[in-house]
Amino acid sequence: MKTLSENKCFGGVQGVYSHESTATGGEMTFAVYIPPQAKKGPVPCLWYLSGLTCTHENAMTKAGLQAHAAEFGLAIVFPDTSPRGEGVANDEAYDLGQGAGFYVNATQAPWAPHFQMETYIATELRDLVQAQFPVSIHHGITGHSMGGHGALTLAMKYPSQYRSLSAFSPIANPSQSDWGRKQLGAYFGGDESLWTAHDAVCLLKEKGWVEDILVDQGADDQFYDLLKPEALAAALAETKTAHSFRLQSGYDHSYYFVSTFARDHVAWHAARLK
């Protein structure tokens, strides 16, 4: 692991690091915020997965999570959204390929050799963070848009790994949305029965989630129809999953929305991870 930068931040340290990934077959960059409470011992860890076109840097610089993490004593991990670099497949469109990994393990060419983001996030990077940073075994996960999709699906696939779950405007039902059908078709092929394993609404009905879930959705989100929040709300009710689903009047899909409700999410996770 290489240290690219470390800066003092709200009494803690905001660092950016890189390492060679076995899962993705190349160098990956990620960021970790360690709060001041870690000086006394390991702290719980919150994972923040970002949306389409983002890197580790977007939420790190725009979401304002560090102040809240320092207040509540949580570490925060900001992974990248896809593999990158020479030899890694890409597409001219912003919503496929580099910057649009969708947190899945692709099975189709040309994506399969590098786009193994599910394994990378849930296993490889988790093990690295656990070994290299002062974090406890108690982890939670959240994310925005495509990252909200990733948070919901990974938590339901790996329930022993995550003790708390939330999402900001997640792509909730990608197998039924133009933000999903294109990507799932590319990464897994035309058999739509394979797509449901990467769809939060379908996973909730199949696997469920034993704890509660916090979801914030902007009522004026310009991508509302692509996100399918009504399908997620219906699935939460149908499966009788404890949840707080908050439709926030006047808010859109931007980081202004995320930063407005960031403290609520950090507090939510802190209460469940401690």
Side-chain angles (χ1 to χ4, degrees):
M1 188 181 77
K2 300 176 185 176
T3 300
L4 303 182
S5 65
E6 287 185 334
N7 299 92
K8 188 169 183 179
C9 182
F10 294 100
V13 176
Q14 177 61 67
V16 178
Y17 311 91
S18 68
H19 72 113
E20 288 296 324
S21 167
T22 300
T24 66
E27 188 174 50
M28 297 292 291
T29 302
F30 66 100
V32 179
Y33 177 71
I34 298 297
Q37 293 87 340
K39 296 172 185 176
K40 298 180 180 179
V43 294
C45 185
L46 176 61
W47 292 70
Y48 181 97
L49 306 186
S50 290
L52 287 166
T53 75
C54 292
T55 70
H56 69 280
E57 188 174 23
N58 294 75
M60 183 184 80
T61 59
K62 295 179 180 179
L65 289 162
Q66 294 91 339
H68 313 310
E71 177 185 355
F72 292 101
L74 296 186
I76 302 186
V77 180
F78 304 92
D80 203 347
T81 55
S82 76
R84 300 178 190 273
E86 187 176 351
V88 176
N90 200 12
D91 189 89
E92 292 182 358
Y94 76 94
D95 58 354
L96 185 66
Q98 295 187 35
F102 263 72
Y103 306 102
V104 300
N105 286 343
T107 61
Q108 300 297 302
W111 314 106
H114 298 286
F115 282 73
Q116 302 294 308
M117 289 300 293
E118 178 178 327
T119 296
Y120 176 69
I121 298 294
T123 303
E124 184 179 23
L125 186 57
R126 179 189 171 97
D127 289 347
L128 179 64
V129 168
Q130 200 75 57
Q132 297 291 334
F133 297 91
V135 300
S136 74
I137 61 171
H138 304 310
H139 292 234
I141 190 166
T142 188
H144 173 231
S145 194
M146 180 184 73
H149 144 80
L152 292 170
T153 57
L154 292 181
M156 284 184 268
K157 287 182 183 182
Y158 302 91
S160 64
Q161 303 255 45
Y162 305 104
R163 293 183 56 175
S164 57
L165 172 60
S166 74
F168 299 85
S169 300
I171 301 175
N173 196 193
S175 67
Q176 303 301 316
S177 168
D178 288 343
W179 265 5
R181 293 184 62 80
K182 172 184 177 179
Q183 295 83 357
L184 295 175
Y187 295 145
F188 298 106
D191 184 355
E192 295 188 19
S193 67
L194 302 176
W195 301 359
T196 58
H198 313 282
D199 184 305
V201 167
C202 300
L203 282 170
L204 191 60
K205 294 177 182 180
E206 178 189 350
K207 294 180 177 293
W209 174 250
V210 296
E211 305 297 338
D212 50 0
I213 301 175
L214 171 63
V215 179
D216 274 308
Q217 170 65 57
D220 288 357
D221 193 315
Q222 59 269 46
F223 305 113
Y224 193 97
D225 292 341
L226 292 167
L227 301 171
K228 303 289 185 184
E230 71 285 349
L232 179 58
L236 288 165
E238 179 183 332
T239 57
K240 298 178 181 174
T241 302
H243 66 277
S244 178
F245 194 111
R246 309 192 304 187
L247 194 59
Q248 303 290 4
S249 178
Y251 286 91
D252 60 14
H253 199 69
S254 70
Y255 266 100
Y256 297 111
F257 158 71
V258 174
S259 62
T260 297
F261 301 103
R263 186 182 185 277
D264 290 354
H265 284 248
V266 174
W268 170 279
H269 287 275
R272 286 150 182 80
L273 293 175
K274 293 184 177 181

